[in-house]
């Protein structure tokens, strides 16, 4: 058994996805061997993401400010809103470098199995955002059963106010947006269809 403080650090590393006992041990021993200054920087970086990062008050993207970089960019077209399930999907779509609209992060998808209802998601803020200046809402939830259900639900509640479109098929069913390559995403965006 390691000394208590070292064991504690090992336990913390084991909380990370994909980190088992052996890897956690390696990480903890590595930290122990770093210069004090480096360990301080490491621990400050951990605290900073926790204290500085929060959700954009408009779209739910991650930011250090009230509005995220995309919402506060005057070059972005506020009339086109791409709806994603997680903030990390924004990164995937931004990698295409083609999309010039803004985003809206739902924070999940509707799932009867998991008991996730529309009221559990960031949908009210979306309906509040959509107005006469909104030309299109592109639903880019993952191509899963839940993703499709969510897309249909959004089309039902927003369809009278604006055009609601869905990324084209061609994305692998059951796949995840953030694992999809840029070219496939770009094609899916180009061939999106009305729902
Ligand atoms: Zn934003």
């Amino acid at each position: 058994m390691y000394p208590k403080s070292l064991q504690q650090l090992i336990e913390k590393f084991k909380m990370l996805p994909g980190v088992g006992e052996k890897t956690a041990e390696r990480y903890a021993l590595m930290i122990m061997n770093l210069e004090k200054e480096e360990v301080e920087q490491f621990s400050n970086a951990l605290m900073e993401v926790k204290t500085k990062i929060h959700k954009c008050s408009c779209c739910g993207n991650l930011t250090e400010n009230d509005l995220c970089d995309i919402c506060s960019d005057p070059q972005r077209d506020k009339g086109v809103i791409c709806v994603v399930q997680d903030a990390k999907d924004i990164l995937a779509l931004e990698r295409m470098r083609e999309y010039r609209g803004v985003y809206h992060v739902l924070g999940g998808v509707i799932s009867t199995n998991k008991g996730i209802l529309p009221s559990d998601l960031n949908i009210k803020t979306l309906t509040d955002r959509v107005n006469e200046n909104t030309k299109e809402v592109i639903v880019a939830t993952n191509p899963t059963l839940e993703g499709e259900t969510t897309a249909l639900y959004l089309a039902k509640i927003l369809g009278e106010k604006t055009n609601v479109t869905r990324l084209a098929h061609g994305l692998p069913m059951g796949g995840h947006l953030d694992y999809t390559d840029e070219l496939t995403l770009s094609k899916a965006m180009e061939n999106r269809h009305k729902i």
Side-chain angles (χ1 to χ4, degrees), residues 10 12-25 27:
I10 294 171
K12 290 298 164 205
F13 277 124
K14 275 161 68 182
M15 287 167 51
L16 301 175
V19 177
E21 185 77 39
K22 284 282 156 231
T23 309
E25 261 178 38
Y27 287 173

Side-chain angles (χ1 to χ4, degrees), residues 56-61 67-68 70-71 103:
C56 168
S57 63
C58 178
C59 75
N61 189 14
L67 288 178
C68 71
I70 296 170
C71 285
Y103 293 94

Side-chain angles (χ1 to χ4, degrees), residues 68-164:
C68 71
D69 290 348
I70 296 170
C71 285
S72 50
D73 183 347
Q75 309 280 10
R76 306 291 295 228
D77 182 354
K78 307 288 188 299
V80 181
I81 304 173
C82 181
V83 178
V84 293
Q85 53 189 83
D86 288 307
K88 64 181 183 342
D89 296 330
I90 294 181
L91 292 176
L93 290 158
E94 284 297 289
R95 277 200 296 269
M96 294 189 306
R97 296 172 184 278
E98 280 171 21
Y99 179 67
R100 299 307 301 156
V102 290
Y103 293 94
H104 193 88
V105 182
L106 291 180
V109 275
I110 300 167
S111 167
T112 40
N113 284 343
K114 294 178 195 144
I116 303 170
L117 304 170
S119 56
D120 296 319
L121 303 172
N122 197 15
I123 288 179
K124 167 84 172 59
T125 46
L126 175 64
T127 47
D128 290 347
R129 262 178 101 180
V130 173
N131 57 32
E132 65 279 5
N133 298 321
T134 311
K135 292 170 280 188
E136 185 179 355
V137 168
I138 305 166
V139 186
T141 47
N142 288 334
T144 57
L145 187 62
E146 285 98 348
E148 297 302 330
T149 308
T150 308
L152 290 175
Y153 177 80
L154 292 177
K156 200 176 84 186
I157 61 165
L158 298 171
E160 280 179 15
K161 287 202 240 164
T162 187
N163 283 316
V164 180

Side-chain angles (χ1 to χ4, degrees), residues 39-59:
V39 178
E40 249 162 31
Q41 286 167 0
F42 193 85
S43 109
N44 286 342
L46 289 175
M47 277 318 288
E48 284 204 355
V49 290
K50 198 57 208 168
T51 51
K52 289 192 175 169
I53 307 275
H54 53 259
K55 288 178 182 168
C56 168
S57 63
C58 178
C59 75

